[in-house]
Amino acid sequence: MRLVLVGPPGAGKGTQAQFIAEHLQVPKISTGDIFRANVGQGTELGLLAKTFMDRGDLVPDDVTIEMVRNRLTEDDAQGGFLLDGFPRTVPQAEVLDSMLAESGVKLHVVLELVVEDDEVIRRLSGRRTCRTCNHIWHIDFDPPSVEGVCDLDGGELYQRDDDQAETIANRLKVYANETAPLVGYYASRGLLVGIDATGPVDDVTQRAIDALRPLQHGD
Ligand code: AP5
């Protein structure tokens, strides 16, 4: 299955992507994770991306599109994928359509995680991420057994630089202006499925799996 997850910052895309990708047995491709890995490694791409990410702005389309184009040519993405955080603008969505058309395939579904702004602010301000495996935790809603330590691999948990109050406010503004139009773009193509992404993580995963079940067939 070729699937896109869309939703505001903090909607739970990364959290759900882990479970949904495992359930569908497709690779999870997160542009945010790829940018953060590049920032961590101090690559040229990372240095460029960081200037935009720290403000909560989008990395320019040409840079992001090239990165995704390369990632989608890798072997593991040939049988399907889950895209988390891409596309994020209508031009990115248009390029994705043409990339897939060039390969003779298409998207099956765009899953929208629907959550109100006050809830995403609560989620982002308490988020902690494992430095080693990228697993996502929350200090109140999904705490690790030992503060600051990942239950899965003992890695150090850190707070993302873009999870500061001012940056969160800008990210929500950027989402409303640049990414929310994708909802209409995909709805008009009959690809959009929205689910309520509030409540316990497991309940949201179950809603996602139930929504995807009728679509789990080939091309
Ligand atoms: P990215 O990493 O994609 O950030 P984002 O879209 O802002 O989304 P987040 O990762 O903040 O939130 P999420 O929805 O994944 O929520 P999560 O599961 O972590 O992008 C970062 C930056 O990279 C962008 O700002 C931009 O600069 C750049 N970028 C990336 N892609 C780009 C693109 N295509 N074009 C241009 N620039 C791009 O959950 C949040 C918290 O809530 C966690 O603590 C979690 O434990 C908790 N939580 C999750 N679900 C629940 C629940 N059901 N109940 C309670 N708590 C929950």
Side-chain angles (χ1 to χ4, degrees):
M1 183 179 273
R2 284 174 290 277
L3 158 78
V4 165
L5 275 189
V6 71
K13 300 182 296 298
T15 301
Q16 294 303 329
Q18 303 171 141
F19 302 121
I20 299 170
E22 196 181 318
H23 175 79
L24 297 175
Q25 296 195 302
V26 293
K28 160 180 109 97
I29 300 176
S30 157
T31 42
D33 283 353
I34 302 175
F35 284 134
R36 279 184 291 278
N38 276 274
V39 171
Q41 291 155 10
T43 66
E44 203 178 315
L45 172 64
L47 291 175
L48 172 76
K50 187 169 168 36
T51 60
F52 295 93
M53 294 169 83
D54 283 352
R55 293 195 300 262
D57 288 335
L58 296 184
V59 178
D61 279 349
D62 54 343
V63 176
T64 308
I65 287 167
E66 212 36 47
M67 185 178 84
V68 172
R69 190 189 295 281
N70 291 334
R71 179 62 185 89
L72 289 182
T73 61
E74 289 180 28
D75 285 350
D76 67 339
Q78 302 318 304
F81 52 74
L82 183 160
L83 282 171
D84 161 18
F86 183 93
R88 226 177 173 102
T89 61
V90 170
Q92 289 183 10
E94 289 169 344
V95 175
L96 178 64
D97 286 347
S98 1
M99 277 190 237
L100 296 178
E102 279 164 25
S103 308
V105 297
K106 56 184 169 56
L107 268 186
H108 294 108
V109 63
V110 175
L111 187 68
E112 182 194 8
L113 301 185
V114 181
V115 187
E116 297 300 326
D117 281 4
D118 54 351
E119 173 68 8
V120 304
I121 291 166
R122 271 196 296 277
R123 291 184 181 183
L124 291 176
S125 36
R127 170 166 57 190
R128 297 293 182 272
T129 307
C130 175
R131 236 180 245 294
T132 321
C133 70
N134 284 330
H135 189 86
I136 301 161
W137 301 92
H138 190 283
I139 52 172
D140 299 317
F141 304 137
D142 186 17
S145 319
V146 178
E147 195 186 324
V149 180
C150 180
D151 279 9
L152 303 184
D153 62 3
E156 180 200 358
L157 303 186
Y158 74 99
Q159 184 167 25
R160 276 172 40 176
D161 289 342
D162 59 351
D163 280 348
Q164 309 302 325
E166 251 176 47
T167 320
I168 292 174
N170 188 43
R171 286 163 64 202
L172 287 171
K173 203 159 25 154
V174 169
Y175 180 80
N177 294 337
E178 303 195 44
T179 308
L182 283 181
V183 170
Y185 177 90
Y186 283 123
S188 68
R189 284 159 178 75
L191 288 173
L192 190 79
V193 174
I195 60 161
D196 171 12
T198 56
V201 170
D202 290 351
D203 290 3
V204 179
T205 309
Q206 195 53 54
R207 271 176 229 141
I209 289 171
D210 290 345
L212 296 175
R213 190 167 293 122
L215 302 158
Q216 279 181 258
H217 50 68
D219 281 322

